[in-house]
Amino acid sequence: MSKFYQRFLLLFLLVCSISGVVIYTTVDINTLHNLTAFQPWSVALAVVSLSIGLVLDGTRLMHLVKVANEKITFKQAVHVVFGNYFLALLTPGATGGAVAQVMFLRHAGVPMGKATVLVIVRTLVSIFFLLCCMPFIFLHDAGILPGVDNETLMVVSLLLFLGIIGIVLASRTRSLDTLIGRITGRLSPHRKRVIVAFYRDIKIGVRLLAASPKSMVRIFFESGLSLLFIYGIVPCLLLGLGVTDADWYTVMGRMFFLNMLLYVSPTPGGSGIAEGGFVWLFADSVPAGTVGILAVSWRLIAEYIPFLIGFYYTIRVFGRDFLNQQLGK
């Protein structure tokens, strides 16, 4: 059996196991009663919300590529977006997602160096948008992280925000070059090359964005709108259960917080952590006995459907040999 089919089978078993455990441990006597009120139209609404978010993700990528003085079509941008979903779910820590994005960008005619930089910048812009939102979320939601007061969370988020701003500003001078040189001087040659290459790509990305501030602002807000629609899947599903009086600010804030955590998840595509985090964050704010089913439904629409579309595009463009090479590394 090829590496691809082995990894695909393991992912299928992992998803089924996690989904089964999450549903089994959260079902209670109220589940059937609450599910009978579910409206199927909310699933269609959730898919529409996801589709709008993915379209915005594609258009912001096109604008980002344009900043680098390159050009891709919307169809090629869609390939990049779905390719990311596909390989991210098949590799630990979602590392394959970056590889897929670079390969699709190269296939679209973007040089390797620029493609690598664009993928890094694309991810960092999304993370930066989420960090910008964190203080507003912590100010509103006092119980988002049990055991940690919101003042501490506010300080941490602000420090991270200021740290990113500081790194961006310092990367435009030689002071950070000297610091990186000292830090990597004691590391092994391999680790030094990896860190220096990553730092170099970030510097190039910062210069690209700084050279076109209007485009940078547009990309930033396009990233935010894309995330809002993608995370809007959960409110759509809640409406289908008859929940109309929810605190939607809190619901969206917790989706932002959960997805921020998923950026540092060690599991493929955040599998297990996403479902468990959802149950933990929403157990007290959804109809009784439905939190596990909602968690699985959210993951199905937000991750697994794009995964299957990404699988189709990857096979069509690169073939199975490409997958075996990437997954065999």
Side-chain angles (χ1 to χ4, degrees):
M1 185 182 293
S2 68
K3 286 282 185 180
F4 164 67
Y5 287 114
Q6 290 178 12
R7 197 70 64 90
F8 195 95
L9 179 60
L10 287 174
L11 174 66
F12 178 76
L13 293 175
L14 177 65
V15 169
C16 289
S17 300
I18 291 172
S19 300
V21 169
V22 168
I23 292 175
Y24 177 77
T25 55
T26 56
V27 166
D28 62 24
I29 195 171
N30 300 297
T31 302
L32 184 60
H33 170 72
N34 287 321
L35 287 180
T36 55
F38 181 73
Q39 300 296 318
W41 55 258
S42 68
V43 175
L45 187 62
V47 172
V48 170
S49 184
L50 172 67
S51 300
I52 295 173
L54 294 178
V55 166
L56 289 168
D57 197 4
T59 56
R60 70 146 177 171
L61 177 61
M62 293 174 66
H63 297 143
L64 187 57
V65 170
K66 187 177 180 180
V67 171
N69 297 316
E70 301 292 338
K71 186 177 180 180
I72 60 173
T73 65
F74 179 70
K75 182 179 180 180
Q76 290 168 330
V78 167
H79 288 174
V80 176
V81 171
F82 284 114
N84 173 49
Y85 276 95
F86 174 57
L87 274 188
L89 273 174
L90 284 177
T91 50
T95 53
V99 174
Q101 291 177 72
V102 171
M103 294 304 297
F104 274 110
L105 283 171
R106 286 188 64 190
H107 187 264
V110 179
M112 179 69 177
K114 285 186 178 180
T116 303
V117 171
L118 291 172
V119 169
I120 293 174
V121 172
R122 178 176 180 267
T123 302
L124 291 179
V125 170
S126 295
I127 293 174
F128 186 64
F129 178 84
L130 290 175
L131 273 176
C132 289
C133 295
M134 288 301 111
F136 301 101
I137 294 169
F138 297 144
L139 281 172
H140 179 77
D141 191 352
I144 195 168
L145 191 60
V148 182
D149 60 87
N150 276 31
E151 287 76 13
T152 301
L153 292 174
M154 280 284 293
V155 170
V156 171
S157 62
L158 287 173
L159 286 176
L160 287 173
F161 175 80
L162 293 174
I164 290 177
I165 295 295
I167 291 173
V168 168
L169 294 175
S171 66
R172 303 179 68 181
T173 68
R174 293 188 176 182
S175 57
L176 195 56
D177 295 350
T178 304
L179 178 61
I180 294 295
R182 290 178 179 176
I183 293 174
T184 58
R186 300 178 181 180
L187 301 177
S188 65
H190 173 70
R191 288 186 177 181
K192 181 176 181 178
R193 284 195 300 271
V194 171
I195 294 174
V196 170
F198 182 70
Y199 170 66
R200 181 195 63 228
D201 292 339
I202 289 179
K203 281 194 68 171
I204 296 172
V206 169
R207 289 173 182 171
L208 282 173
L209 294 175
S212 185
K214 289 184 179 180
S215 296
M216 179 180 68
V217 172
R218 179 178 183 173
I219 291 166
F220 177 79
F221 283 105
E222 231 172 352
S223 298
L225 280 175
S226 173
L227 294 175
L228 279 170
F229 277 103
I230 291 173
Y231 302 162
I233 292 171
V234 172
C236 292
L237 295 176
L238 287 175
L239 288 172
L241 286 170
V243 179
T244 58
D245 57 348
D247 183 349
W248 301 114
Y249 191 151
T250 298
V251 170
M252 291 301 292
R254 294 195 172 196
M255 287 304 299
F256 272 57
F257 180 71
L258 175 57
N259 281 275
M260 186 71 191
L261 295 180
L262 294 182
Y263 272 104
V264 293
S265 168
T267 60
S271 298
I273 294 176
E275 291 85 351
F278 187 97
V279 171
W280 164 51
L281 288 170
F282 291 98
D284 297 329
S285 55
V286 302
T290 63
V291 66
I293 295 171
L294 276 172
V296 173
S297 300
W298 160 59
R299 288 290 283 175
L300 173 65
I301 296 171
E303 295 288 339
Y304 303 133
I305 292 178
F307 164 83
L308 292 174
I309 297 173
F311 165 59
Y312 166 76
Y313 281 136
T314 304
I315 291 293
R316 183 176 177 181
V317 175
F318 297 111
R320 289 183 177 83
D321 290 340
F322 164 77
L323 295 175
N324 289 327
Q325 290 172 6
Q326 296 302 322
L327 297 178
K329 292 180 179 179

